[in-house]
Amino acid sequence: MDAMDAVFKALADPSRRKLLDALYKHDGQTLSALERRLPMTRFGVMKHLRVLEAAHLVITRRNGREKLHFLNAVPIRLIHDRWVSKYSVPFAAALAEIKHQLEET
Amino acid sequence: MDAMDAVFKALADPSRRKLLDALYKHDGQTLSALERRLPMTRFGVMKHLRVLEAAHLVITRRNGREKLHFLNAVPIRLIHDRWVSKYSVPFAAALAEIKHQLEET
DNA sequence: TTGACAGGTGACCATTTGGTCACCTATTAT
DNA sequence: ATAATAGGTGACCAAATGGTCACCTGTCAA
């Protein structure tokens, strides 16, 4: 449950979600490439990447003097399965309920 | 996109997720009832509830001197649809890829 | 081998956040 | 009416967070 907390915390920041989006569009980017996509210095990006890496949302591979960053969707999938879907069920149920009530009118 | 940020931030805290869990198990609890479930003072719980309410994850109804809190799954569902599912797709694809590679061996 | 380039570290600062407390208001029951 | 109960407000504090900077290390190309 502690690992999931790191993922939630990592996802809480818009800059980090933007980084994930950037990697989603184009996987395996370097730090400098990612820096260009955000209105932030390299150091800021580096910190965010470290958080994402700690949450296993991003995995890296060194290639010479470059460090490539890859998106890892597994933790998000885990959140989906263990948490989000649990709360989505009552949503669907509520929709069905509304539909039901409408039909009874 | 701003509303979604509030939801992500609200979900980032374990105490708030615990509150949602408590409401999931038993909807429509009062502040005092929720306070008993967390190792925290009433004021701490109140603050968390305010964050959840601002993110529309919890909706309230006054009933005399009591304030009842209800879980609202809609924002979570929106996150699921707009964000989580987007990242879950490559996960499924990756699984299929692994399966494929295994079968080729 | 010397420079240019990609990345890393530690300190530092401002702001936000989680949490508590003293004190106040509103409603209910006796 | 009065006491007990449920909730609310503002100030306050410690810790975490987002972000920057100066400076350092490692790697590649000419």
Side-chain angles (χ1 to χ4, degrees), chain B residues 9 13 15-16 40-44 47-48 64-65:
Chain B
K9 285 221 171 85
D13 186 89
S15 301
R16 286 196 283 269
M40 201 184 306
T41 61
R42 185 166 56 91
F43 313 96
K47 273 198 167 183
H48 285 305
R65 68 177 163 182

Side-chain angles (χ1 to χ4, degrees), chain B residues 7 59 89:
Chain B
V7 179
I59 53 185
V89 171

Side-chain angles (χ1 to χ4, degrees), chain A residues 16 40-41 43 47-48 64-65:
Chain A
R16 287 197 282 269
M40 201 185 306
T41 61
F43 314 96
K47 274 197 166 185
H48 284 306
R65 68 179 162 180

Side-chain angles (χ1 to χ4, degrees), chain B residues 35-80:
Chain B
E35 174 201 350
R36 273 172 236 128
R37 302 186 177 259
L38 291 208
M40 201 184 306
T41 61
R42 185 166 56 91
F43 313 96
V45 175
M46 219 179 331
K47 273 198 167 183
H48 285 305
L49 284 177
R50 176 157 19 205
V51 174
L52 290 170
E53 211 173 334
H56 301 104
L57 283 163
V58 162
I59 53 185
T60 61
R61 199 179 66 221
R62 304 252 8 185
N63 184 15
R65 68 177 163 182
E66 291 186 326
K67 189 177 186 182
L68 306 180
H69 299 79
F70 298 87
L71 177 62
N72 180 25
V74 173
I76 290 179
R77 180 70 192 193
L78 291 181
I79 279 192
H80 170 267

